[in-house]
């Protein structure tokens, strides 16, 4: 088994063969992937060494100390957090070798074409159609709220391939080329003024069957891998004390005594405590994962994260008083990433509202916790045995 | 980084304690006992303290203890909370023991570690670490005065009494008059200690001893609160799966599912906070912040969780016969014990430089 000292040895080797100071960024990242040091828990040949996931921290620390370039993970959150584990689990060897390396290096950014105007929480009701034509699938439909579609080279896509069976049974999962002429990405301006997400219109998009992920009709099961990873992506984050949204508020509190009131003090302390406890819960979740005892805390982490971000950013705007009445910039921008800390309090307040909607709403996550963790009875389902085409829409 | 999981040994300890308490502390038995003249369960205490040797967990082996850490004590307290066990464990094996460890009194430590004697620190249960506490008068080397709100005073063999000279004194319970008070929490009864010229042996300085005792107590109380909360969640989920109204289990109604999911999340957070402060106490790193965070979070969380449990049980939750009231009383009393959440938030404000206006 690959242990920490073995990983340190390989990291030293990589740094010797490709000194960060004189190596092109991309060349270094590719070499790191080929050395199995990209995500060490992935299989050999796919950027990893079959090592325990917890040991990634060893590699990351060594590389950071050597000032090596990193793959700027925030730029490709959907690719790294969701597309990669799904491709790894359901992909063919050809798909593995075609997609994983440029995904990890960030040469190819990914987006997620799941939600539709008529299918959000009820994602399995989606209506985008994929019809088989020889070696290709012809896709038509509309997706919405697609984060980063304007930067993405590839998309994970789910589409309906059989309307005559109940909704969960007739879905297939594809890898969609965003440069296909049938893909039309239109900015959807959001509450913050910018357009981080998009509407995506798919008109006769041709997807080769070789870009189908998993079996035809098995797309819902494949999508579960994506959705579960989406939820733990947040819980897996390791932050120092005050590393989250509470950091900027605490800083303002310390630096600007004139803003302090007793009422805000009580609220701030309460949120500081809750942030710290949430951080400990995330630490505990990660320790469980590395000890091989995956707990159900992941869904809970996203719930807590959303509520805290919203309460804290709301407090921050109030703390600023008259300055809270101002906003930094309403121009329509097309950001490459969601940059909470680079913007001001008003932005944080507005953007945090999405935290309880994106990646499954808090209401839906509470259902998941109640049913899958606590084993409470499932919501009544009237659509279970009805063909998708006969459902109310 | 602190270790927030349970080790295999800790899990083994948990199941041993849980088995024992399962035999001794069934809810109906606990309810009947706390109404009697002898609210403490001496048989359970003897089994835990003497047979299993748990009273000596924090005491070094050379003094007849187990030389274990706060992490193991925390696991014991979780289980004691789960059963709202009426035993003086927190008072004797944690609070009094920590005070004695600070004073370095081998003789008394051995007595307490063996479980043969119950020690009680004569400081009001509500005192937060680092705050003022009442003291006894000294006249000609004898102790005088009345100290109230003393947890488990009725079970004490020896009292540790702070006096006006800044010393901590050991007083045999037989030399004091101890009267029960009518307590909100029936399973951790309070008492009044009256000293009327009682002889005492000076053990050391009271300020550091009391501070250490109360700080450990506050930090480890979060584990007891976790046990109380975890019981409430488990019982409520079980009940709501069984209970039917409107021709379906009421646990299937989304309004209740969401409330239970929220309770689950708070229990998960409470566990992380409790493990963190137990670990910090055992390593000595970051103790002040970890304890303040744990108490500031645990007290309101445990109360809210048990209040939810009561509400979701409906009418049966309001009865004397259903044990949920024991848990509510314990949770509410715990929210005042060793400092309220507000007191711990105030302490935290200074520790992490978030000053008041
Ligand atoms: C910032 C942001 C970024 C996003 N990025 C992407 C992306 O990149 N790709 C992508 O595919 N999607 C993305 N989404 C879409 C997101 O996943 C959906 O918005 C979300 O799943 C909710 O669906 P909906 O908007 O259709 O709301 P609806 O499903 O219509 O929900 C309306 C309300 O009803 C509640 N509700 C619905 N069903 C239930 C139920 N069973 N029980 C209780 N309450 C219920 C919801 O909680 C909500 O409050 C993004 C969304 C946001 C806000």
């Amino acid at each position: 088994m690959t242990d920490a000292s073995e990983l340190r040895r390989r990291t030293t080797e990589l740094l010797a063969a490709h000194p960060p100071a004189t190596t092109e960024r991309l060349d270094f990242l590719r070499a790191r992937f080929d050395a199995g040091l990209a995500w060490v828990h992935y299989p050999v040949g796919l950027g990893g060494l079959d090592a325990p996931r917890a040991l990634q921290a060893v590699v990351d620390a060594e590389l950071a100390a050597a000032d090596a370039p990193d793959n700027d993970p925030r730029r490709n959150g959907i690719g790294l957090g969701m597309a990669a584990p799904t491709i790894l689990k359901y992909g063919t060897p050809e798909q593995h070798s075609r997609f994983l390396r440029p995904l990890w290096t960030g040469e190819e950014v990914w987006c997620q074409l799941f939600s539709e105007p008529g299918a959000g929480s009820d994602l399995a009701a989606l209506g985008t159609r994929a019809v088989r034509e020889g070696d290709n699938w012809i896709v038509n439909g509309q997706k919405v709220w697609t984060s980063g579609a304007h930067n993405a080279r590839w998309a994970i896509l789910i589409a309906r391939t059989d309307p005559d069976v109940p909704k969960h049974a007739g879905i297939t999962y594809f890898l969609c080329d965003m440069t296909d002429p049938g893909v039309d990405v239109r900015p959807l301006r959001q509450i913050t003024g910018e357009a981080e997400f998009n509407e995506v219109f798919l008109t006769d998009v041709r997807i080769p069957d070789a870009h189908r992920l998993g079996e035809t009709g098995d797309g819902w099961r494949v999508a579960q891998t994506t959705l579960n990873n989406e939820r733990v992506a947040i819980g897996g984050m390791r932050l120092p004390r005050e590393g989250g949204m509470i950091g900027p508020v605490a800083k303002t509190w310390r630096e600007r005594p004139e803003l302090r009131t007793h009422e805000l003090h009580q609220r701030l302390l309460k949120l500081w405590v809750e942030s710290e406890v949430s951080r400990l819960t995330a630490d505990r979740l990660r320790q469980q994962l590395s000890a091989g005892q995956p707990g159900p805390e992941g869904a809970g982490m996203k719930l807590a994260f959303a509520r805290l971000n919203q309460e804290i950013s709301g407090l921050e705007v109030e703390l600023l008083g008259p300055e809270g009445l101002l906003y930094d910039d309403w121009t329509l921008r097309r950001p490459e990433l969601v940059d909470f800390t680079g913007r001001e309090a008003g932005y944080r307040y507005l953007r945090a509202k999405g935290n309880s909607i994106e990646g499954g709403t808090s209401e839906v996550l509470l259902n998941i916790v109640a049913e899958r963790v606590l084993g409470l009875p499932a919501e009544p389902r009237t659509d279970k045995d009805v063909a998708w085409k006969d459902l109310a829409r | 980084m602190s270790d927030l999981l349970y080790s295999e040994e800790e899990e083994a300890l948990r199941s041993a304690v849980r088995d024992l308490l399962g035999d001794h502390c069934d809810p109906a038995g606990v309810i009947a006992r706390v109404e009697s003249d002898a609210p403490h369960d001496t048989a359970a205490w003897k089994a835990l303290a003497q047979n299993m040797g748990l009273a000596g967990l924090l005491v070094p082996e050379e003094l007849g203890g187990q030389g274990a850490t706060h992490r193991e004590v925390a696991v014991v307290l979780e289980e004691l909370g789960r059963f709202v066990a009426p035993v003086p464990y927190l008072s004797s094996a944690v609070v009094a023991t920590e005070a004695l460890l600070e004073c370095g009194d081998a003789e008394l430590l051995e007595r307490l570690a063996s479980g043969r004697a119950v020690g009680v620190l004569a400081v009001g249960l509500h005192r937060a670490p680092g705050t003022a506490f009442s003291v006894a008068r000294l006249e000609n080397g004898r102790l005088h005065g009345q100290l109230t709100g003393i947890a488990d005073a009725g079970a004490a063999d020896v009292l540790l009494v702070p006096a006006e000279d800044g010393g901590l004194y050991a007083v045999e319970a037989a030399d004091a008059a101890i009267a029960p008070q009518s307590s909100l929490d029936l399973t951790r009864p309070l008492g009044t200690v009256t000293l009327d010229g009682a002889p005492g042996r000076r053990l050391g300085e009271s300020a550091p001893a009391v501070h250490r005792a109360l700080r450990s107590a506050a930090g480890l109380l979060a584990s007891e609160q976790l046990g109380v909360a975890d019981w409430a969640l488990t019982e409520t989920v079980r009940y709501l799966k069984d209970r039917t109204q409107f021709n379906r289990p009421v646990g299937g109604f989304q309004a209740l599912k969401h409330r239970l999911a929220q309770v689950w999340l708070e229990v998960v957070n409470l566990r992380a906070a409790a493990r963190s402060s137990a670990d910090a106490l055992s390593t000595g790193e970051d103790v002040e912040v970890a304890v303040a965070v744990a108490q500031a979070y645990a007290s309101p969380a445990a109360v809210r969780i048990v209040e939810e449990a009561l509400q979701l049980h409906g009418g049966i939750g309001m009865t004397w016969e259903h044990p949920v009231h024991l848990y509510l009383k314990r949770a509410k009393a715990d929210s005042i014990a060793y400092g309220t959440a507000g007191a711990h938030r105030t302490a935290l404000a200074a520790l992490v430089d978030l000053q008041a206006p």
Side-chain angles (χ1 to χ4, degrees):
Chain A
M1 175 109 115
T2 316
D3 61 8
S5 60
E6 167 73 3
L7 287 177
R8 269 193 209 98
R9 193 183 61 70
R10 286 177 184 254
T11 308
T12 312
E13 259 175 38
L14 169 75
L15 288 166
H18 308 271
T22 53
T23 311
E24 281 290 313
R25 176 172 180 277
L26 205 49
D27 290 338
F28 183 88
L29 293 175
R30 287 176 178 161
R32 176 173 167 188
F33 186 93
D34 296 337
L37 299 170
W39 31 36
V40 298
H41 57 290
Y42 270 48
V44 176
L46 301 179
L49 294 165
D50 278 318
R53 183 195 280 259
L55 292 182
Q56 185 67 46
V58 174
V59 175
D60 292 348
E62 298 269 313
L63 291 175
D67 225 356
D70 87 347
N71 62 342
D72 199 359
R74 291 187 310 157
R75 263 192 70 238
N76 195 13
I78 292 177
L80 291 160
M82 288 125 73
T86 317
I87 293 171
L88 179 69
K89 182 154 176 201
Y90 287 99
T92 60
E94 292 73 32
Q95 289 169 340
H96 288 159
S97 54
R98 164 65 188 83
F99 291 112
L100 289 175
R101 188 165 101 155
L103 184 161
W104 186 82
T105 59
E107 287 162 84
E108 292 180 350
V109 170
W110 287 69
C111 69
Q112 181 187 23
L113 293 172
F114 278 21
S115 305
E116 297 182 5
S121 302
D122 187 10
L123 185 55
L126 59 87
T128 291
R129 283 283 274 136
V131 179
R132 182 86 188 232
E133 206 182 276
D135 279 346
N136 289 308
W137 293 85
I138 311 299
V139 182
N140 281 283
Q142 185 198 341
K143 297 286 178 175
V144 72
W145 325 126
T146 317
S147 305
H150 51 291
N151 289 316
R153 174 66 179 78
W154 289 94
I156 43 180
L157 163 77
I158 46 181
R160 186 150 311 277
T161 44
D162 187 352
D164 297 323
V165 294
K167 63 181 184 181
H168 290 95
I171 295 172
T172 302
Y173 200 116
F174 299 98
L175 308 177
C176 172
D177 185 342
M178 293 296 283
T179 63
D180 191 284
V183 178
D184 177 17
V185 176
R186 299 184 201 160
L188 189 51
R189 197 173 190 202
Q190 67 206 53
I191 187 169
T192 53
E194 63 188 5
E196 168 201 326
F197 54 38
N198 304 270
E199 292 181 293
V200 179
F201 295 84
L202 306 164
T203 314
D204 292 333
V205 175
R206 299 178 82 79
I207 299 184
D209 190 53
H211 290 172
R212 170 171 48 79
L213 195 64
E215 298 306 315
T216 301
D218 204 22
W220 186 249
R221 195 159 65 100
V222 182
Q224 288 313 305
T225 301
T226 310
L227 298 175
N228 286 336
N229 277 289
E230 183 166 10
R231 281 155 205 155
V232 292
I234 292 159
M237 242 172 358
R238 170 120 208 258
L239 294 174
R241 184 173 285 165
E242 287 191 15
M245 194 76 108
I246 196 74
V249 200
K251 188 163 175 281
T252 307
W253 186 271
R254 289 182 190 119
E255 290 171 357
R256 314 241 341 239
E258 77 280 7
L259 298 176
R260 299 174 190 163
T261 71
H262 284 287
E263 188 252 354
L264 290 172
H265 191 229
Q266 284 310 308
R267 281 163 64 193
L268 174 66
L269 287 174
K270 182 172 162 291
L271 290 170
W272 195 95
V273 167
E274 288 175 3
S275 301
E276 175 65 5
V277 171
S278 250
R279 190 182 74 82
L280 293 168
T281 303
D283 268 358
R284 193 161 193 277
L285 171 66
R286 268 183 318 93
Q287 291 177 10
Q288 272 181 331
L289 286 173
S290 9
Q293 353 161 352
E297 274 90 343
M301 285 312 306
K302 185 179 175 295
L303 282 163
F305 169 85
R307 186 186 59 81
L308 274 173
N309 277 0
Q310 293 173 354
E311 282 191 39
I312 294 168
S313 58
L315 175 85
E316 191 181 7
V317 171
E318 280 178 69
L319 171 64
L320 290 170
E323 288 162 59
L325 294 171
L326 307 176
Y327 192 75
D328 60 356
D329 183 4
W330 287 117
T331 30
L332 173 77
R333 296 199 260 176
R334 304 284 276 145
E336 273 203 21
L337 49 85
V338 190
D339 183 10
F340 276 109
T341 44
R343 300 273 307 259
E344 287 180 7
Y347 174 84
R348 278 194 274 282
Y349 172 69
L350 297 173
R351 181 57 184 83
K353 293 288 169 265
N355 293 155
S356 54
I357 300 171
E358 60 197 344
T361 66
S362 291
E363 290 74 20
V364 166
L365 291 183
L366 288 168
N367 283 346
I368 290 176
V369 168
E371 290 169 20
R372 303 202 198 143
V373 180
L374 301 177
L376 291 163
E379 293 302 294
R381 281 176 54 182
T382 53
D383 55 0
K384 209 166 77 208
D385 303 315
V386 184
W388 174 82
K389 63 175 174 26
D390 298 327
L391 292 175
R393 238 179 312 282
Chain B
M1 186 183 54
S2 59
D3 175 3
L4 302 170
L5 303 183
Y6 301 100
S7 67
E8 271 175 40
E9 294 74 35
E10 284 161 7
E11 288 295 2
L13 173 63
R14 175 200 304 290
S15 58
V17 174
R18 194 180 290 190
D19 278 356
L20 189 150
L21 293 172
D23 292 343
H24 283 273
C25 296
D26 68 294
V30 176
I31 291 173
R33 178 179 307 285
V34 295
E35 284 183 279
S36 74
D37 292 338
H40 291 99
D41 187 336
T42 35
W45 167 252
K46 209 173 153 201
L48 283 163
Q50 296 186 15
N51 305 358
M52 289 183 72
L54 299 182
L57 281 180
L58 289 177
V59 178
E61 287 176 46
E62 57 274 21
L63 295 175
Q66 306 271 331
T69 73
H70 300 80
R71 294 178 53 94
E72 286 83 10
V73 175
V75 170
V76 174
L77 284 170
E78 270 181 45
E79 296 311 307
L80 292 172
R82 190 184 311 280
F83 288 87
V84 281
V87 293
Y89 190 85
L90 184 62
S91 313
S92 186
V94 178
V95 179
T97 298
E98 286 277 22
L100 291 171
L101 284 166
E102 185 66 29
C103 298
D105 190 86
E107 190 254 350
L108 266 181
L109 275 169
E110 289 203 47
R111 267 176 77 193
L112 260 53
S114 70
R116 279 179 286 112
V118 170
V120 163
L121 179 71
V123 168
L125 179 63
H126 63 292
R127 297 291 177 189
T131 59
F133 47 86
S134 311
V135 295
R137 257 181 313 111
L138 265 178
E139 271 170 37
N140 306 323
R142 298 280 177 146
L143 295 155
H144 295 266
Q146 199 175 57
L147 301 161
T148 58
I150 311 303
D152 295 327
D157 297 297
V158 56
L159 297 158
L160 308 182
V161 182
E164 60 188 354
D165 68 337
L168 187 66
Y169 289 79
V171 175
E172 293 300 321
D175 294 327
I178 298 173
Q181 293 178 285
S182 180
S183 313
L184 174 69
D185 176 6
L186 297 147
T187 58
R188 181 173 284 137
L190 306 179
T192 299
V193 174
T194 307
L195 303 166
D196 187 12
R201 181 163 66 82
R202 198 176 200 277
L203 301 164
E205 296 294 314
S206 64
V210 172
H211 184 261
R212 171 166 170 178
L214 298 188
R215 193 180 67 170
S216 282
L220 292 171
L221 186 67
S223 292
E224 178 180 296
Q225 289 163 315
L226 168 61
V228 167
D230 201 37
W231 176 89
L233 172 62
T234 311
E235 261 321 285
T236 310
V237 167
R238 195 184 60 71
Y239 183 69
L240 294 192
K241 279 187 198 169
D242 275 2
R243 174 75 178 160
T244 56
Q245 295 285 292
F246 305 97
N247 197 35
R248 47 193 271 217
V250 288
F253 289 103
Q254 195 180 59
L256 305 199
K257 286 164 68 175
H258 284 191
R259 284 167 71 169
L260 282 172
Q262 201 63 51
V263 165
W264 170 82
L265 184 56
E266 287 171 41
V267 172
V268 168
N269 285 334
L270 183 44
R271 181 168 288 116
R275 281 323 272 167
S276 149
S277 72
D279 193 68
L281 283 164
S282 76
T283 61
E285 276 169 42
D286 199 29
V287 184
E288 305 287 341
V289 172
V291 168
V293 164
Q295 265 316 302
Y297 186 81
S299 286
V303 171
R304 209 195 75 80
I305 290 164
V306 185
E307 286 176 349
E308 281 289 90
L310 191 153
Q311 171 66 20
L312 297 180
H313 274 80
I316 190 83
M318 279 302 283
T319 64
W320 188 265
E321 122 196 34
H322 193 282
V324 72
H325 66 93
L326 295 178
Y327 290 83
L328 181 66
K329 292 161 188 169
R330 175 68 75 86
K332 195 68 185 172
D334 278 358
S335 76
I336 297 168
Y338 309 115
T340 60
H344 287 280
R345 279 198 295 268
T346 303
L348 195 62
L351 290 167
V352 302
D353 186 26
L354 293 171
Q355 303 297 343

